[in-house]
Every structure is written in structure tokens, then in C-alpha cells.
Amino acid sequence: MPKNLRSASWMRSVWLLGPALVAGVAYLDPGNVASNMTAGARYGYLLVWVVVAGNIMAWLIQYLSAKLGIVTGQSLPEVLGSRIRNRWARRAYWLQAELVAMATDIAEVLGGAVALNLLFGIPLLLGGAITGAVSIALLAIQTRRGPRHFEFVIIGLMAVIVIGFIAGLFVAPPDPAGVVGGMLPRFTDSGSVLLAASILGATVMPHAIYAHSALTRDRFASEAGRPGIRMLLTATRWDVTIAMIIAGSVNLAILLLAAANLSGVEGTDSLEGAHAAITATLGSIIGTLFAIGLLASSLASTSVGAYAGAEIMHGLLTVRVPVLARRLVTLIPALVILGVGFDPTLALVLSQVVLSFGIPFALVPLVALTAQRRTLGEHANRTITTVLGVVFAALLIALNAVLLWLVATGA
């Protein structure tokens, strides 16, 4: 191939990147920060393997979601809405997906409120309202300027997130032996199981599965039925790989930062306490960068969460609610939690557990649909892909079952 044609092909491939980076922001929301920070502070390097395993699972899951949107030209909620014939079954499925989306909104708004309080001393309730207002402005970019401009804004916020959460590791790097030891899968008590479920709920997020199929549908709608679909899928694999490397590295950095510097320090199981300990241990600059990263993660992820929630309602109920109007409504639960004085960090961790229970409802249909030739034709999953998808789903469902038993028995 002539050099100029290779260059043009490379540039076109680069231009196709973006949807996975937007969906990947869901893996960097305040719930991730709370879960990983708490895990590192309480258990040191014990749950490193959970973060790594979750990120490996997330790569396959996000690629399958993107592939579904590219090949069918529909989002996962749209496909399920047309396949679930019983009206009440469809509504029940929508209800659980809606609860997951609401849990996501709560985590993201709470994180923004805490970040604004840390940076400027703004009261939590007012900080939550400000976070919601800024997210509405970001969503306006998506609705008025289109998906590409929205991608640029979210990717810019992602860069801020990376700097904010990784900077501390350059000042106080983790113990290599501890990191290697943390790769051995194990638990020590019911609390570590709870945090593992929380980490997975924050890593393999149901609303990111729903959103990614919609993002690729919107971005590649005019190209989905053309012979260039293989090029789209190739570019998407790179897109997902880059997004998951970034998200996985940041999540691991948060846990390692806490394990190396906050283990045994009192009060570090809250975002405020962790920020205070980081500031005291690593200096005010690192503490400020941490708070800025938390704010950026909240603003970016709450916009993607609202987009996913609107798509869930549209696909399953065929009701089109404006994204901006939906954002206003879903702010209410988070503001109520802030208003009554409930512990924001505890609410963040519990919201991630709620997300973990929504994983099977998104993951099992996704694996089943992408394995069907009648749905994806020649682009249906290979046998090994389907087997891996089934194994990942089984592992996640088993962990959730153990968590339910622990909660039911009071263990």
C-alpha cells in the first residue's frame, strides 16, 4: 500500500476512536474512588487482583456492547425492548435497569459535592446542586453539538482525572512485593467480599454496557451497514483497549495510593478523611490534585450516566425523555441524601454494591445476543468469546450470591 494511503487509513482509524473513551469514564466515577480507596486503606494490597480481573472482564464486555451497536445500529436496550414481548416483563426489566441508573447518579453527584466541599468549602447540598447544573451544561453539548464534541469534552475531563489520581504515586510509590502479593485471589473476611463486590460493581458497570452500544450507534449510524464495518470493529477494539488501560491504571493507582499511604490511618474510609490523610502525608499539591480529579470524575461520569438512563427508558419503554429533563429528575435522590446528612462515602460504596446486582441483567443478554448469528450475522461471537463471556457472567453472579448470603446471615 502506498505511504500516503497508509497514512490516510491510519488517520481515519484514529478519527474513529472516541466512544469507548466516553463509556470508559463510567469506570472512573466517584464510586470507583470510594471503593478502591476504602479497599486499599482497610486491606492494603489484598484486593489488587479484583481490580485487575474486573478490568479484564470489562474489556470483553465493552467490546461486545460496542459491536452490538455497530452491527445492528441499535443499542442494547432497543434490542431487548423489541425482543421482550411481554409488557410486564419488559417493565420489570426496565425497573431494575432504572434503579441501577439511579444508583449511578447518586454516586456521581455525591462525589462532586464532596469534591467541591474539599476544594472550596461549599456545603454538600449546594455542591450537589452545582454538580447537577454543570452536568446539564455538558449534556447540552451532546444534544446540540453532537457526539463528537461531547467526546472531546469528556476526554479532556478524563485527562484531568488521570493526572489527579496518579500524581500521588510518583511522590510515594507502592511496595512492589505488596502489589505482586495482591495478585493472588483471596478474601480474608466478609468485609473484603463486600468491597470486592463494590469494586466490581464500580468496574463492570451495567449502565456503561447500555451506554456503549448507544454511543457507537449514534457515532457510526451512517456507517453500520457499509462494507467498512470490519474497519469499525478493528478501530473499536483499539478504542476499548486504550480506554480500559486508562481506566484500569487509574483504578489500580487509587487502591495502591491508599494501600501505600493510608493503611492503618484513622478516618481514611471516607473521601474527606482520605483527602486529609493524603494532604498530610504527600503534601497540599497532591491533595488538591486528588480533589480536582474527584470533581472531574463526577462531572464526566454523571453526564454519561444521564445519557445511559435516557437510552434505557427509550429502548425498553419507547418513551423519549429529554436527557436534560431526566438529569433534573434524577438529581433528587442524591440531593435528598445530602440534605438529610447521610454519610456520602458510605452511600457511594453501597451504590456500587447496587450496581453489582445489575450486572447479570445487562451482561447475560449481551453475551447471548452477540453470540446469535440471526442478530449479528457473520460478526457473531466466536465460540471462545462466548465461553469467556459465560465464565465472566457466572463469576460475577456467584460473587453477588455470596454477598447476598453474607448480608442475609449478618456475617
Side-chain angles (χ1 to χ4, degrees):
M1 180 184 293
K3 183 177 180 180
N4 59 334
L5 291 180
R6 288 199 303 269
S7 177
S9 177
W10 181 82
M11 289 300 296
R12 177 166 171 75
S13 297
V14 171
W15 185 250
L16 294 175
L17 303 180
L21 292 170
V22 174
V25 165
Y27 294 80
L28 297 172
D29 79 339
N32 290 82
V33 180
S35 296
N36 290 311
M37 188 69 67
T38 302
R42 289 186 183 177
Y43 295 97
Y45 301 101
L46 176 71
L47 299 179
V48 166
W49 68 273
V50 178
V51 177
V52 175
N55 208 60
I56 293 172
M57 294 180 189
W59 187 97
L60 178 62
I61 293 165
Q62 291 307 133
Y63 173 67
L64 294 182
S65 176
K67 182 169 73 169
L68 181 71
I70 290 171
V71 177
T72 66
Q74 292 182 299
S75 67
L76 177 59
E78 285 177 320
V79 175
L80 290 174
S82 64
R83 297 288 181 92
I84 302 175
R85 301 295 185 182
N86 184 280
R87 179 176 60 180
W88 292 106
R90 189 168 62 250
R91 288 177 177 175
Y93 187 94
W94 164 79
L95 181 60
Q96 63 80 26
E98 191 67 41
L99 290 174
V100 166
M102 290 179 65
T104 303
D105 278 337
I106 289 173
E108 291 153 357
V109 174
L110 291 179
V114 170
L116 288 171
N117 178 261
L118 295 175
L119 288 168
F120 308 110
I122 296 174
L124 291 176
L125 183 59
L126 178 58
I130 293 173
T131 301
V134 175
S135 70
I136 290 173
L138 295 177
L139 286 168
I141 296 174
Q142 196 272 339
T143 56
R144 296 178 184 178
R145 302 296 299 275
R148 196 56 175 162
H149 289 85
F150 184 61
E151 287 173 11
F152 288 146
V153 173
I154 297 300
I155 291 171
L157 288 171
M158 179 180 280
V160 176
I161 295 168
V162 171
I163 295 171
F165 291 142
I166 289 185
L169 290 183
F170 292 96
V171 177
D175 174 29
V179 177
V180 173
M183 291 297 295
L184 177 65
R186 66 195 190 281
F187 298 110
T188 57
D189 54 26
S190 59
S192 62
V193 176
L194 176 66
L195 277 172
S198 182
I199 290 171
L200 288 175
T203 303
V204 186
M205 302 185 76
H207 82 284
I209 299 174
Y210 299 124
H212 203 166
S213 58
L215 288 164
T216 53
R217 177 206 61 195
D218 292 347
R219 176 77 180 282
F220 305 129
S222 62
E223 301 180 65
R226 297 180 179 179
I229 191 169
R230 289 194 178 278
M231 182 178 184
L232 290 177
L233 292 176
T234 299
T236 295
R237 283 191 287 270
W238 280 105
D239 195 21
V240 174
T241 299
I242 294 170
M244 291 301 99
I245 287 175
I246 294 173
S249 298
V250 173
N251 282 322
L252 190 57
I254 294 169
L255 188 148
L256 296 180
L257 182 69
N261 300 282
L262 306 183
S263 183
V265 179
E266 293 185 5
T268 52
D269 54 352
S270 71
L271 289 174
E272 298 91 338
H275 173 263
I278 289 172
T279 301
T281 304
L282 305 179
S284 59
I285 293 177
I286 299 300
T288 300
L289 288 174
F290 174 83
I292 292 173
L294 179 63
L295 179 60
S297 75
S298 175
L299 296 176
S301 56
T302 193
S303 303
V304 176
Y307 172 88
E311 184 59 37
I312 289 169
M313 180 172 287
H314 167 66
L316 293 168
L317 300 184
T318 64
V319 176
R320 178 68 77 179
V321 176
V323 177
L324 300 183
R326 179 186 171 82
R327 170 73 278 182
L328 287 172
V329 173
T330 53
L331 271 176
I332 295 174
L335 295 180
V336 169
I337 289 175
L338 291 171
V340 300
F342 192 83
D343 179 15
T345 301
L346 178 59
L348 282 171
V349 174
L350 292 178
S351 73
Q352 302 313 296
V353 177
V354 173
L355 295 184
S356 73
F357 289 115
I359 290 171
F361 294 99
L363 182 52
V364 172
L366 176 67
V367 174
L369 288 169
T370 54
Q372 296 174 353
R373 292 190 68 84
R374 71 187 182 98
T375 302
L376 296 189
E378 63 178 311
H379 303 290
N381 296 342
R382 297 178 180 178
T383 301
I384 184 62
T385 303
T386 300
V387 169
L388 286 174
V390 171
V391 170
F392 290 167
L395 288 172
L396 291 167
I397 292 170
L399 181 59
N400 289 334
V402 171
L403 179 60
L404 274 176
W405 180 80
L406 290 172
V407 173
T409 60

